[in-house]
Amino acid sequence: MIKVENLHKSFGEHEVLKGIDCEIHSSEVLCVIGPSGSGKSTFLRCLNMLESITSGQVTVDGFNLKDKKTNINMVRTEVGMVFQQFNLFPHKTVIENIMLAPMKVRKLSKNEAKERGLKLLKKVGLSDKADKYPSSLSGGQQQRVAIARALAMEPKLMLFDEPTSALDPELVGEVLEVMKQLANEGMTMVVVTHEMGFAREVADRVLFMDEGIIMEEGSPDVIFSNPTSDRTKEFLDKVL
Amino acid sequence: MEGRFNWAGVIDFLPELGTGLYYTLLISIIGLIIGFILGAIFGLGRISKNKIFYGISSIYIEVIRGTPVLVQAIWIFFALPLITGYNMASVTAGIVVIAVNSGAYIAEIVRGAVQSIAKGQVEAGRSLGLTHNQTMRYIVWPQAFKRMIPPLGNQFIISIKDTSLLSVILVPELMFQGRLIASNYFNAVEIYTTVAVFYLIITLTLSFILRMIEKRLDVQ
């Protein structure tokens, strides 16, 4: 589903990603962990071209992102993204947030979009919030709406950029629960996270990133119980 | 002091003052509508990645902001025809002055409001597959527009008052009429006070309307 080859990304002189190679298969849940500033989020944002690629190849769902002929909007319709800060549209109600892209991009009718939106709100447990504005929701509820909004495009792949990092501790669980459900349904997911418990339980594979490279990758059991790299050990000692 | 000023006599001049009021409103309304369009275009120019568009927008804004309205009015009415060989009616010139002048300030208002919308909003829109234009239209503009209203109201009031300067290029607006009457009938106190009150009525009405719009848009 995703193939990344020798991906480099620089901001001016500063090289953030120093050669990433990685493959993500359909229905796989991949968790990316690592210290702040290791390039995890940048890596994720390169997968839907929110960051341009400095060099290397990234192929998503058969589209070569480096190719100028690739219609990036087409790729993005298949790749949902959930942000740390939710980024809901504050001038639209919850249901309008969800309906916008299906109507404008997928050309669904208003009724179809609404039906789809209500179904997704039910799925994330927020049926009663459809006509509320995002500002009246808790962080956890906002993030669940953001997940529903991304799912409304029926993407083949979901990217999560530290989805629980901006939440109060007691609200983290409800968001992880929704993500777990999604993983169980077979959604392909790439999750940048600091929730080691979630990574351990849900991930099929874990990537440990540090200083712009993938230091170690493997099944959660191996990474969390038997890491080979000293940097991984050091990091896990600090966070676990 | 009793009887020194003939306030009741002002009524006799209401037709002339009414004509003035008409031109003041006409020039303000048409000028500001065009000014808003210019402001929207050049405001977006200031945040455009296109260097030529950005350059033209910057030059326009800096030149207009850096020169007095009075100079702009006189230049457009007296100097421009000597260059182009085309004479403009004073009312047309007045509209052009208000449009071009307010456009430069409105451009900065538009730029500020659009830039104040968090980057995450654009990223959220784009990540859903919306095009750049769709993201601007459905996500950035509606939010930015709300933030533009207070500074726009300010600019509208300034521009309405600036129309009084157009009397020097013979636009028959409120101030022009007032001066004409006062210099013929020596009733400066009564007439200029009335003129001032007329301006005040226009600007207070506008403030009121803008406050209503702001309230209406602030639905959350």
Side-chain angles (χ1 to χ4, degrees):
Chain A
M1 170 130 260
I2 299 181
K3 193 165 184 190
V4 181
E5 288 166 283
N6 200 21
L7 168 62
H8 287 257
K9 170 68 188 175
S10 303
F11 293 102
E13 295 285 288
H14 182 58
E15 192 173 36
V16 179
L17 298 179
K18 301 167 182 167
I20 303 276
D21 291 275
C22 167
E23 254 186 85
I24 299 154
H25 308 286
S26 210
S27 293
E28 189 177 25
V29 177
L30 179 73
C31 282
V32 184
I33 60 170
S36 316
S38 57
K40 310 178 297 278
S41 287
T42 307
F43 166 59
L44 193 75
R45 291 161 60 86
C46 282
L47 298 180
N48 69 347
M49 288 281 272
L50 281 184
E51 300 294 349
S52 61
I53 295 158
T54 307
S55 73
Q57 293 292 330
V58 178
T59 317
V60 174
D61 190 30
F63 291 100
N64 180 351
L65 298 193
K66 255 304 208 184
D67 190 345
K68 288 214 159 41
K69 277 176 281 178
T70 300
N71 180 350
I72 187 62
N73 296 322
M74 281 274 288
V75 181
R76 285 176 177 152
T77 60
E78 305 298 338
V79 182
M81 182 146 188
V82 174
F83 299 87
Q84 184 177 350
Q85 300 294 340
F86 332 133
N87 296 348
L88 293 179
F89 309 133
H91 61 301
K92 292 184 174 296
T93 61
V94 163
I95 192 74
E96 286 168 350
N97 261 275
I98 301 174
M99 287 162 64
L100 179 70
M103 283 168 64
K104 301 301 171 195
V105 182
R106 294 268 196 238
K107 308 290 178 203
L108 259 60
S109 74
K110 203 172 171 184
N111 284 336
E112 290 169 318
K114 187 157 192 180
E115 198 181 321
R116 186 182 286 185
L118 290 173
K119 210 180 284 174
L120 285 165
L121 277 179
K122 194 171 170 202
K123 181 174 177 157
V124 299
L126 293 170
S127 292
D128 54 329
K129 303 290 185 195
D131 296 316
K132 294 273 191 307
Y133 281 92
S135 56
S136 67
L137 270 54
S138 74
Q141 291 170 333
Q142 289 193 45
Q143 193 61 298
R144 286 188 279 154
V145 172
I147 294 172
R149 179 176 71 178
L151 290 175
M153 290 297 286
E154 302 191 327
K156 293 179 182 159
L157 164 73
M158 287 282 284
L159 307 176
F160 293 85
D161 190 3
E162 302 195 20
T164 57
S165 296
L167 297 177
D168 291 338
E170 77 270 21
L171 302 176
V172 169
E174 62 190 66
V175 173
L176 293 183
E177 204 48 50
V178 169
M179 290 168 65
K180 211 182 293 176
Q181 185 190 344
L182 211 53
N184 289 337
E185 288 167 10
M187 175 62 80
T188 312
M189 294 164 64
V190 183
V191 185
V192 170
T193 188
H194 291 292
E195 294 295 327
M196 298 304 152
F198 175 83
R200 187 169 216 159
E201 187 188 339
V202 181
D204 297 308
R205 194 152 50 100
V206 175
L207 291 188
F208 173 70
M209 275 183 75
D210 192 25
E211 290 172 0
I213 57 166
I214 296 174
M215 278 284 188
E216 188 166 357
E217 69 170 289
S219 70
D221 280 347
V222 173
I223 295 280
F224 288 109
S225 315
N226 238 333
T228 49
S229 143
D230 286 341
R231 277 296 295 136
T232 316
K233 275 181 207 153
E234 208 180 303
F235 173 74
L236 290 173
D237 279 345
K238 275 186 204 152
V239 296
L240 286 181
Chain B
M1 295 294 277
E2 180 88 13
R4 215 177 127 194
F5 301 121
N6 179 12
W7 292 102
V10 170
I11 292 171
D12 296 338
F13 302 105
L14 282 185
E16 285 89 345
L17 291 176
T19 307
L21 188 63
Y22 166 75
Y23 281 109
T24 294
L25 289 174
L26 180 81
I27 291 170
S28 299
I29 292 169
I30 300 179
L32 284 171
I33 289 172
I34 302 172
F36 183 73
I37 296 167
L38 289 176
I41 295 170
F42 290 106
L44 291 180
R46 283 279 268 192
I47 40 181
S48 170
K49 288 195 180 103
N50 182 324
K51 288 217 166 68
I52 297 168
F53 191 21
Y54 173 82
I56 292 172
S57 305
S58 300
I59 292 168
Y60 164 62
I61 290 166
E62 294 304 340
V63 167
I64 297 301
R65 280 202 313 188
T67 53
V69 201
L70 191 56
V71 175
Q72 291 162 12
I74 291 175
W75 194 87
I76 286 175
F77 189 64
F78 294 109
L80 190 61
L82 299 178
I83 300 169
T84 61
Y86 171 73
N87 275 317
M88 237 188 287
S90 62
V91 173
T92 315
I95 291 171
V96 171
V97 170
I98 294 302
V100 169
N101 182 270
S102 66
Y105 290 94
I106 293 171
E108 285 295 271
I109 293 171
V110 168
R111 179 184 67 87
V114 169
Q115 283 182 335
S116 77
I117 303 303
K119 203 170 140 237
Q121 290 288 306
V122 176
E123 290 185 348
R126 296 307 302 275
S127 76
L128 287 165
L130 295 168
T131 63
H132 174 76
N133 287 341
Q134 285 174 324
T135 306
M136 290 305 281
R137 182 169 159 200
Y138 298 114
I139 296 164
V140 177
W141 264 104
Q143 296 182 60
F145 187 71
K146 216 162 90 180
R147 292 188 192 179
M148 279 179 218
I149 290 172
L152 270 183
N154 215 8
Q155 182 56 44
F156 285 3
I157 286 169
I158 290 170
S159 290
I160 288 169
K161 293 186 299 179
D162 280 350
T163 60
S164 65
L165 294 167
L166 300 174
S167 58
V168 299
I169 60 167
L170 313 175
V171 176
E173 44 70 55
L174 197 50
M175 187 61 196
F176 180 89
Q177 301 287 6
R179 266 167 57 176
L180 208 61
I181 299 163
S183 60
N184 281 327
Y185 297 90
F186 308 106
N187 49 359
V189 172
E190 298 90 323
I191 290 299
Y192 288 137
T193 305
T194 309
V195 165
V197 169
F198 275 27
Y199 280 113
L200 198 56
I201 291 171
I202 302 174
T203 52
L204 287 178
T205 311
L206 180 66
S207 292
F208 177 75
I209 294 170
L210 286 164
R211 217 169 308 141
M212 298 301 285
I213 295 176
E214 219 174 315
K215 243 184 219 161
R216 172 85 51 98
L217 283 178
D218 196 32
V219 275
Q220 294 100 306

